[in-house]
Amino acid sequence: MKNFLKFLTFCVMILLVVLIIYAGKYAIKEKEEIPDEYKQTDISILSNLRDSAGAGVVKESDSQADKQAREAMQTDHTAELPVLSEQNMPDTIRVLLSDDGSYWQSEVRVSSDSDIRVICGQTETSYKKGTEIDLVELTGDADPVSLTIIPEQYGKLTIESFHKSEGAPSYRGKLQIKKQGNKYCIVNELAFEEYLYAVVSSEMPSSYEKEALKAQAVCARSYAVRRIQDGAFEEYGADLDDTTASQVYNNVFETEETIHAVQETEGQILTNDGDVVNAYFFSTSSGTTCRNDDVWGGEKLDYLNDQLEIYTEADRKRLGDATVMLDHGYFQIGDGRLSTEEVFRAFIDQTVYVNSIEKEEPFYRWQVTLTADQIQTLAGADITDQTGEIEKVRITKRGNSGIARNMVLYGKQSSVTIEGQMEIRELLCSPDVVIRKQDGSETSGFDLLPSAYFYITQDKEGNYQLHGGGFGHGVGMSQNGANDLAEAGYGYEEILSHYYNGTELEKLRETGNKTNEE
């Protein structure tokens, strides 16, 4: 028995020694240095997103790449919103800046309202606030060059050589600048939420109702979240750009109103079945919205529908404090749908009463007159060589919302069909075409017709009259409609629910990361 006890004691001691050695090795392993690539959290997150989405690499020249990119409310319910957990988002965003239609600048002059640091490789130079830095002089003959300009104490950097709607723009965050072939490409990296301050101001007038601005902030945030995943601007070291190829940024400077709209909806995005939605928006409706596939083709999205932009009967009569929801019904006007020419014309001519949200907006209805010679010129030689003299123009196919999808030019020799709302709008317009709005005012300078919601008549002299309504593609949220709804007392949640059917408001964490609530 004594020998057995000695043997058992010996086994226990051996086991303890093994455990101690293992624990020591484990502890040492836990203290090993973390590789650099895992320390750069925001960079690795971005890389994961782009790898899963697939990066779009542009092979053309700079000017062609620029062209391709452009073509291509009152109650705070924030605490009640669910928090997303499916994927991560960065704290910062990188925006490719443009000026005069180009991403590459021949000169760049930068100043700041604070002291700034310029970092180039291992060299760092400090400048006092108010100093204007001319990059042509700073970089001299060196090419290529990469440098970063960082303001101190949360200052802003002003690109004095840029020309935006309100003058030289100022930017939060830092500027990353690459010189190549004596041209400069600029990327603005800043906090994701702060980026939205100057998106909302550039996409919607700051004078609009607070709830409309909040709805725009949610749309802009949702749109940016989706675009970051595209990788379309990775060639430039950016997530998106500052033009309509993404969404307009800092063309109109941030205001107190737009900052508040972003802050009061902080982190909120629209989702459908757990996915961030394509939160498309446009200026003014003709009294309808449009499904996405009628405009861009592809698969129809459940939350983007054809619907009348009308108040319900209860709302029209303003029945006390009764809860009022907007009509989500599909078009049924008279005995037909808006895809039929007769009903669509009655709708545009307003011979059928529709209590439209936007009926007082100037672009709610508009007209254009084109001579036969103008039509011939606008069509261009590629078309007129086939058709000969154009004798008539007709819309031959419409979507359920009434949007023009196909148009035929009938000539003495043959006919040519134009497919797609964008192609139709582009063919029938040029900067010298005069557009008469329903308030009697006139405007020009557009490359596209205001919308594809129009019909065509022709007089005895051969002149064409285009009778139309709305401004923009018609998909998603009408910005003027959102403002009109806000004026009528609707909150931003109700506005978003109306324009994006069946979607939910969910929240990103303050860090920008989608996580479960703790």
Side-chain angles (χ1 to χ4, degrees), residues 293-421:
D293 56 329
D294 273 350
V295 173
W296 299 296
E299 182 181 355
K300 184 194 177 301
L301 299 174
D302 293 340
Y303 49 87
L304 298 173
N305 293 308
D306 304 309
Q307 62 188 36
L308 287 173
E309 286 292 87
I310 61 175
Y311 294 115
T312 62
E313 185 70 12
D315 192 43
R316 188 166 65 87
K317 293 180 178 179
R318 307 304 295 167
L319 297 177
D321 295 327
T323 300
V324 178
M325 295 304 294
L326 293 164
D327 190 335
H328 286 169
Y330 278 77
F331 300 116
Q332 294 292 342
I333 300 178
D335 295 326
R337 299 169 75 86
L338 288 181
S339 58
T340 64
E341 197 69 15
E342 181 180 358
V343 174
F344 180 77
R345 291 189 180 205
F347 176 71
I348 290 294
D349 292 342
Q350 302 183 75
T351 57
V352 174
Y353 175 75
V354 177
N355 188 29
S356 176
I357 295 166
E358 299 171 71
K359 59 182 179 293
E360 302 301 326
E361 296 293 338
F363 265 114
Y364 180 68
R365 291 292 179 266
W366 50 264
Q367 289 189 349
V368 168
T369 298
L370 298 172
T371 66
D373 287 342
Q374 280 181 297
I375 289 287
Q376 200 78 9
T377 300
L378 289 169
D382 288 346
I383 291 176
T384 57
D385 285 348
Q386 301 175 58
T387 61
E389 182 181 348
I390 297 172
E391 297 181 312
K392 62 180 179 180
V393 182
R394 296 288 184 270
I395 302 299
T396 56
K397 183 179 180 181
R398 296 187 182 279
N400 284 340
S401 66
I403 192 169
R405 296 187 63 183
N406 287 357
M407 179 178 73
V408 177
L409 307 175
Y410 296 93
K412 288 186 175 181
Q413 299 172 189
S414 67
S415 63
V416 171
T417 299
I418 309 300
E419 298 181 353
Q421 64 93 26

Side-chain angles (χ1 to χ4, degrees), residues 443-513:
T443 187
S444 60
F446 296 98
D447 294 320
L448 302 171
L449 285 177
S451 79
Y453 288 93
F454 67 94
Y455 72 87
I456 304 170
T457 59
Q458 193 172 3
D459 62 24
K460 295 179 180 179
E461 287 74 35
N463 298 316
Y464 295 85
Q465 284 78 42
L466 279 53
H467 311 261
F471 194 104
H473 49 63
V475 180
M477 184 181 74
S478 166
Q479 293 168 303
N480 278 318
N483 191 54
D484 292 335
L485 288 173
E487 288 179 345
Y490 287 84
Y492 77 99
E493 302 101 324
E494 295 171 294
I495 293 171
L496 293 170
S497 177
H498 168 62
Y499 286 111
Y500 306 99
N501 308 155
T503 59
E504 296 181 355
L505 269 177
E506 300 193 58
K507 197 173 188 303
L508 300 170
R509 288 199 117 183
E510 292 182 4
T511 60
N513 295 328

